[in-house]
């Protein structure tokens, strides 16, 4: 079974530029998550999709971040314009369980390391 | 107060010893509890989950949960150099998974 795919693996941009990340979850997984992990911290949930609907985006900085999951499969996360504090690893994860399931094991992709100069 | 707090590291243990990792959480309604291992530069991988009070063993790993004390722990027995990693505690209430900052473990050969 193929894992969660993400691209690009690394990205370096200057502040105020825009950037987009792509994620393809494990086949059949209904739930998709985007996390931001700053060095030395645990992952922080940015947005969660159930199929192509948003379940939780309460921690997504909506003035600069956007995400979509068209057709309920792959997803893109965009930052526009980027700030220095956006430097982090952006992790995508997927889960076979839906909202409300107690054992929603999440499978993580390799992540995209973003550096904002 | 942070939702999930872990004992500060780094934790250094000799090979063959027991590594003990602790985690407390603030939301009494939390339902499931996870331990993820994250090697440097890699993504987290699930090693244990527990949702009932008591102990759960899987190989050299034992997770312990005490909901009354809002406390969950992970024991790594017979620690190996390959166990050197950051261990993330994660807690879920309904659908949202909240992570602690992690405890870095180094196993000395």
């Amino acid at each position: 079974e193929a894992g969660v795919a993400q691209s690009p693996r690394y990205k370096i941009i200057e502040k105020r530029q825009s950037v987009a990340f792509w994620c393809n979850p494990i086949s059949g997984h209904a739930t998709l998550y985007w996390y931001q992990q700053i060095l030395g911290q645990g992952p922080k949930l940015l947005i969660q999709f159930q199929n192509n609907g948003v379940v939780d985006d309460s921690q997504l900085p909506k003035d600069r971040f956007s995400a979509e999951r068209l057709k309920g499969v792959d997803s893109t996360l965009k930052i526009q314009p980027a700030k220095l504090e956006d430097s982090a690893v952006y992790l995508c994860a997927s889960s076979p369980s839906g909202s409300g399931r107690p054992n929603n094991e999440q499978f993580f992709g390799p992540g995209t390391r973003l550096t904002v100069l | 107060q942070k939702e999930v707090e872990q004992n500060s590291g780094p934790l250094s243990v000799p090979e063959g010893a027991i590594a003990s990792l602790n985690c407390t959480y603030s939301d009494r309604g939390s339902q499931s509890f996870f331990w993820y291992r994250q090697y440097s530069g890699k993504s987290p991988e699930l090693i244990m989950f527990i949702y009932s009070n008591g102990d759960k063993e899987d190989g050299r790993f034992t997770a312990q949960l005490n909901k009354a004390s809002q406390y969950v722990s992970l024991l790594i027995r017979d620690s190996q150099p390959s166990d050197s990693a950051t261990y993330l505690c994660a807690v879920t209430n309904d659908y949202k998974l909240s992570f602690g900052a992690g405890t870095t473990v180094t196993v000395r050969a």
Side-chain angles (χ1 to χ4, degrees), chain B residues 18-66:
Chain B
I18 296 175
S20 177
L21 306 172
N22 303 318
C23 174
T24 57
Y25 58 95
S26 60
D27 187 348
R28 283 197 170 273
S30 299
Q31 300 162 330
S32 301
F33 308 87
F34 302 81
W35 284 99
Y36 282 81
R37 178 176 61 200
Q38 187 172 28
Y39 291 114
S40 181
K42 302 295 185 182
S43 56
E45 57 176 328
L46 182 68
I47 54 171
M48 291 282 291
F49 71 88
I50 186 169
Y51 50 88
S52 298
N53 278 328
D55 295 357
K56 180 180 179 182
E57 187 174 314
D58 184 359
R60 297 185 294 108
F61 298 97
T62 299
Q64 300 173 317
L65 175 61
N66 184 325

Side-chain angles (χ1 to χ4, degrees), chain A residues 50-104:
Chain A
Q50 174 74 12
N51 295 310
N52 60 348
V54 176
V55 175
D56 185 354
D57 63 357
S58 58
Q59 297 192 91
L60 187 73
K62 298 180 184 64
D63 58 335
R64 299 184 301 106
F65 286 65
S66 64
E68 60 181 9
R69 190 184 185 196
L70 300 176
K71 301 180 181 179
V73 182
D74 56 352
S75 175
T76 56
L77 176 70
K78 297 179 182 178
I79 307 174
Q80 181 179 6
K83 292 185 175 180
L84 296 177
E85 58 261 37
D86 298 332
S87 294
V89 175
Y90 290 84
L91 295 164
C92 179
S94 69
S95 170
S97 303
S99 176
R101 293 288 299 274
N103 294 332
N104 53 335

Side-chain angles (χ1 to χ4, degrees), chain A:
Chain A
E1 178 183 69
V4 176
Q6 289 188 248
S7 67
R9 294 294 310 279
Y10 306 92
K11 191 73 177 179
I12 300 174
I13 61 173
E14 295 189 350
K15 59 182 179 183
R16 291 188 289 274
Q17 286 188 322
S18 63
V19 64
F21 312 126
W22 174 82
C23 172
N24 192 30
I26 293 173
S27 178
H29 281 196
T31 310
L32 185 148
Y33 314 79
W34 282 103
Y35 289 90
Q36 179 193 58
Q37 186 173 24
I38 293 172
L39 187 65
Q41 299 181 19
K44 182 183 83 170
L45 180 68
L46 293 175
I47 188 167
Q48 177 183 344
F49 292 95
Q50 174 74 12
N51 295 310
N52 60 348
V54 176
V55 175
D56 185 354
D57 63 357
S58 58
Q59 297 192 91
L60 187 73
K62 298 180 184 64
D63 58 335
R64 299 184 301 106
F65 286 65
S66 64
E68 60 181 9
R69 190 184 185 196
L70 300 176
K71 301 180 181 179
V73 182
D74 56 352
S75 175
T76 56
L77 176 70
K78 297 179 182 178
I79 307 174
Q80 181 179 6
K83 292 185 175 180
L84 296 177
E85 58 261 37
D86 298 332
S87 294
V89 175
Y90 290 84
L91 295 164
C92 179
S94 69
S95 170
S97 303
S99 176
R101 293 288 299 274
N103 294 332
N104 53 335
E105 178 180 357
Q106 298 184 19
F107 298 84
F108 285 83
T112 297
R113 184 176 299 276
L114 173 67
T115 301
V116 182
L117 302 176

Side-chain angles (χ1 to χ4, degrees), chain B residues 7 16 20 28 33-35 40 43 49 54 61-62 68-69 73 75-76 80 84 87 92 94-95 98 102 104-105:
Chain B
N7 51 330
S20 177
R28 283 197 170 273
F33 308 87
F34 302 81
W35 284 99
S40 181
S43 56
F49 71 88
F61 298 97
T62 299
S69 299
S73 67
L75 299 177
I76 307 173
Q80 302 297 308
S84 297
Y87 290 81
T92 187
D94 193 16
Y95 60 84
S98 297
T104 299
V105 174

